[in-house]
Amino acid sequence: MAGVAVHLKGIGVSPGVVVGPVAKLSPPPVLPAGMVPSGDPDADIQRTREALDRVRAELGERSAHAASVAVDVLSAQAAMAADPVLAASIFGKIRDGRAAPEAVKDALAAFGEQLLSIGGYLAERAADLEDIGNRVISVLLGLPMPGLPIRDEPFVLLAQDLAPADTATLDAANVLAIVTEQGGPTSHTAIIAKSLGIPAVVACKGAFAVQDGTRILVDGMTGAVVTEPSEEEVAERVGRLAKRRAAVTEYSGPGRLSDGSRVQLLVNVGTSSDIERAGLADCEGVGLFRTEFLFLDRPGAPSVEEQRETYRRLFESFSGRKVVVRTLDAGADKPLAFVRMADEPNPALGVRGFRTARFHPDLLDDQLRAISRAAMGSGADVWVMAPMVATPAEAADFARRAHELGLPLAGAMVEIPAAALRADHLLHAADFLSIGTNDLSQYTYAMDRETGALPELLDPWQPALLELVRITAQAGQRAGKPVGVCGEAASDPQLAVVFAGMGVTSLSMAPVSLAEVRAELSLYSAAQCAKAAELALAERDGESAREAVGTYLDSVLQT
Ligand code: PEP
Ligand code: MG
């Protein structure tokens, strides 16, 4: 591929733009079936001895360059490769008539099993032993050595996928970026790369075909990977990133588009310790207070007084700001012993969320009572909403109960397609709507949100999900009532732009995502956001929607 710019596309999971030479992480070797021994055991033993020496030397060399946490692991591995007992076992198998690579595999597997049977720390070393075996076999077969490459210069690490063991010794000073052919936005690679601040692109089809040493550009925001990029392309992408980064540091305070239109930025709160932290965030309030933590792991519901005390803590740290409390969302992924229905074969489709109030009405009324008492005199602008509302009648029932208990603003979460499709009707009684994209994806695509089996179906860029968001947001505009998004999708900066373009009035997310979302929103006008939404909705799947919007927003930044 050298010399010709080739554009590849993956999912950007850790932002940053870098250019550097590729170093590939080779996959473990596969032993050819039915290997026959060479017929010269002494020569095979000599070759194996040399392979062991080479692996030991390379691991020793790596440990000399590794970051502190990895030194011990690598030195221990180097020592294993030099172990005379291990070598004697391999040589014995060669003398017994095994081909050298098979002898290595068998001997190391036997040692690995012994370590596993001992358990504890030694069992954890079994994977290291397997790694040594793979390296020695690769040398014997004339293949590139698997595992993290060693280079004098910093490089872009290219892999099919990264195993946790590969990332344990990853050195952020040497690895400019990571590109993997497999993996998804929640893969191990994505999480590690983000935490190390290394730009990363995953699910990049065709990347592994790029040759070692090729100069490659990686854009961890847009997911673009370009081999042999032109100087203009590098400058352009670096320039765009600089613009985005400048926006991140430049902006604080309420969420706004470039033309001054407002999009409220709120945070999600879900644990007791979140309460204090959230109060310090640069946000306009709480968009989703998940109250389940108060009810979990106990035989019965907390008293009204105990609940009031917890709600009061949150309301006081948000005095002067808005707090949207979601009432108990029991069932399915949030099971509660005292609310469980007997024998539901499909709990996700069972009596969960607001539906539990039909069987336990006091539980809901007590919670509303506690919220109402805590709100009094707290200074916070307290709203309440019910989870998993399916029908206008449910929304009306919830609103009536909340209003009667002194809570003036009562809304419904839109997490079921039926609720989105009838959002106009829900808004006859509900004061606002809040879209829970996590459950709305699950129910729209009939794909369990807890399993990662078909990640593309849970991609929040899927146009059918976006269509339901649009229907709900437009219903809000017609009714003149707020419609927010509080699922994970709200924390994707470019999806936030799309939601703003659909008329969503607030976005609620983990505090860590606020700065990037705020900055991204600040770069585009309402008309440009609307255009982004239109482009996403015109696409046929999540990947192409993400790409169409990414390309359009990049073009806006260039002008
Ligand atoms: C959602 O479903 O998107 C949501 C915000 O609620 P939870 O994740 O708590 O189910
Ligand atoms: Mg939900």
Side-chain angles (χ1 to χ4, degrees):
M1 290 197 188
V4 187
V6 176
H7 288 74
L8 302 169
K9 186 83 182 144
I11 301 177
V13 290
S14 180
V17 174
V18 295
V19 184
V22 160
K24 285 167 88 166
L25 182 123
S26 303
V30 179
L31 280 191
M35 292 193 82
V36 271
S38 71
D40 184 350
D42 287 338
D44 281 353
I45 287 171
Q46 184 53 27
R47 279 196 319 123
T48 309
R49 199 188 301 280
E50 285 165 13
L52 279 164
D53 281 350
R54 205 177 125 192
V55 169
R56 182 194 44 72
E58 186 153 314
L59 289 169
E61 165 85 353
R62 273 180 63 192
S63 84
H65 289 94
S68 56
V69 285
V71 171
D72 290 349
V73 176
L74 290 166
S75 331
Q77 263 192 311
M80 280 182 194
D83 188 315
V85 180
L86 188 68
S89 163
I90 298 171
F91 301 159
K93 288 183 191 302
I94 294 176
R95 287 214 172 81
D96 288 345
R98 300 286 281 160
E102 286 181 341
V104 173
K105 188 163 190 230
D106 292 353
L108 273 91
F111 273 85
E113 269 166 33
Q114 279 176 28
L115 292 183
L116 285 173
S117 68
I118 296 166
Y121 172 81
L122 286 174
E124 285 165 24
R125 301 278 69 79
D128 298 343
L129 208 53
E130 190 182 343
D131 182 56
I132 292 169
N134 286 333
R135 287 167 184 274
V136 177
I137 292 168
S138 296
V139 175
L140 288 170
L141 295 176
L143 298 171
M145 230 190 260
L148 284 181
I150 300 169
R151 297 285 185 280
D152 293 335
E153 280 176 1
F155 56 85
V156 173
L157 179 66
L158 205 59
Q160 292 283 6
D161 203 358
L162 287 181
D166 299 324
T167 48
T169 56
L170 209 64
D171 181 359
N174 272 331
V175 179
L176 295 169
I178 299 171
V179 178
T180 64
E181 178 127 1
Q182 293 156 15
T186 55
S187 63
H188 182 81
T189 305
I191 294 163
I192 290 281
K194 235 187 249 177
S195 76
L196 292 173
I198 301 176
V201 173
V202 299
C204 187
K205 288 196 192 75
F208 206 67
V210 176
Q211 298 297 315
D212 231 73
T214 307
R215 194 167 160 271
I216 195 172
L217 175 147
V218 181
D219 185 337
M221 170 96 177
T222 64
V225 172
V226 186
T227 68
E228 305 293 358
S230 64
E231 289 311 319
E232 296 79 62
E233 171 142 30
V234 174
E236 203 180 90
R237 286 188 181 272
V238 169
R240 258 181 266 149
L241 177 75
K243 232 172 175 173
R244 286 199 165 100
R245 289 259 154 94
V248 169
T249 47
E250 209 174 290
Y251 288 88
S252 59
R256 299 183 187 283
L257 305 180
S258 66
D259 57 14
S261 320
R262 295 287 321 277
V263 181
Q264 217 172 33
L265 293 178
L266 308 166
V267 291
N268 293 349
V269 171
T271 64
S272 181
S273 52
D274 276 356
I275 293 179
E276 279 74 31
R277 277 202 298 269
L280 304 173
D282 179 8
C283 65
E284 295 161 72
V286 175
L288 169 66
F289 178 29
R290 291 182 166 105
T291 54
E292 292 74 45
F293 74 91
L294 262 166
F295 295 78
L296 292 171
D297 299 325
R298 50 197 301 165
S303 67
V304 171
E305 188 46 35
E306 184 182 342
Q307 290 189 54
R308 190 191 66 85
E309 185 48 34
T310 306
Y311 304 144
R312 196 196 49 76
R313 265 175 59 217
L314 180 68
F315 297 165
E316 282 182 356
S317 46
F318 277 87
S319 183
R321 289 186 279 180
K322 162 178 167 181
V323 178
V324 184
V325 184
R326 175 178 75 189
T327 55
L328 182 61
D329 184 19
D333 55 307
K334 311 175 187 83
L336 285 190
F338 54 94
V339 190
R340 186 166 298 157
M341 301 299 291
D343 292 336
E344 285 186 320
N346 291 308
L349 304 180
V351 179
R352 57 164 305 196
F354 179 65
R355 297 170 184 184
T356 57
R358 294 202 201 186
F359 299 87
H360 305 274
D362 293 347
L363 207 54
L364 176 63
D365 289 339
D366 279 353
Q367 187 176 21
L368 290 171
R369 222 167 259 127
I371 297 167
S372 178
R373 287 183 196 164
M376 238 177 283
S378 69
D381 177 18
V382 177
W383 304 20
V384 286
M385 65 182 180
M388 303 295 301
V389 168
T391 64
E394 288 177 352
D397 180 33
F398 178 76
R400 180 189 50 76
R401 289 156 90 148
H403 293 160
E404 278 175 14
L405 288 166
L407 292 157
L409 288 169
M413 284 191 75
V414 173
E415 306 182 273
I416 300 174
L421 293 169
R422 303 291 282 179
D424 278 314
H425 293 76
L426 259 63
L427 283 168
H428 289 164
D431 299 306
F432 67 96
L433 298 177
S434 182
I435 307 171
T437 46
N438 308 335
D439 276 312
L440 191 55
S441 295
Q442 151 164 277
Y443 293 117
T444 303
Y445 284 90
M447 183 71 224
D448 189 334
R449 67 186 263 188
E450 296 297 307
T451 73
L454 299 170
E456 74 278 9
L457 292 180
L458 295 176
D459 183 344
W461 284 86
Q462 280 281 10
L465 176 73
L466 300 182
E467 189 73 58
L468 293 171
V469 174
R470 184 185 63 85
I471 290 170
T472 313
Q474 287 186 346
Q477 287 184 326
R478 277 190 292 274
K481 292 182 176 179
V483 170
V485 173
C486 64
E488 290 309 304
S491 64
D492 175 329
Q494 297 198 331
L495 207 42
V497 170
V498 167
F499 292 150
M502 291 176 171
V504 158
T505 55
S506 68
L507 297 164
S508 192
M509 64 204 78
V512 65
S513 304
L514 280 168
E516 295 241 10
V517 169
R518 177 186 288 111
E520 192 72 14
L521 289 172
S522 73
L523 298 172
Y524 314 103
S525 66
Q528 288 162 339
C529 293
K531 174 77 183 164
E534 191 189 305
L535 288 170
L537 287 164
E539 291 298 327
R540 48 182 288 174
D541 57 31
E543 197 182 326
S544 53
R546 181 186 278 108
E547 183 164 345
V549 171
T551 307
Y552 168 65
L553 295 182
D554 278 353
S555 75
V556 171
L557 290 187
Q558 276 167 49
T559 54

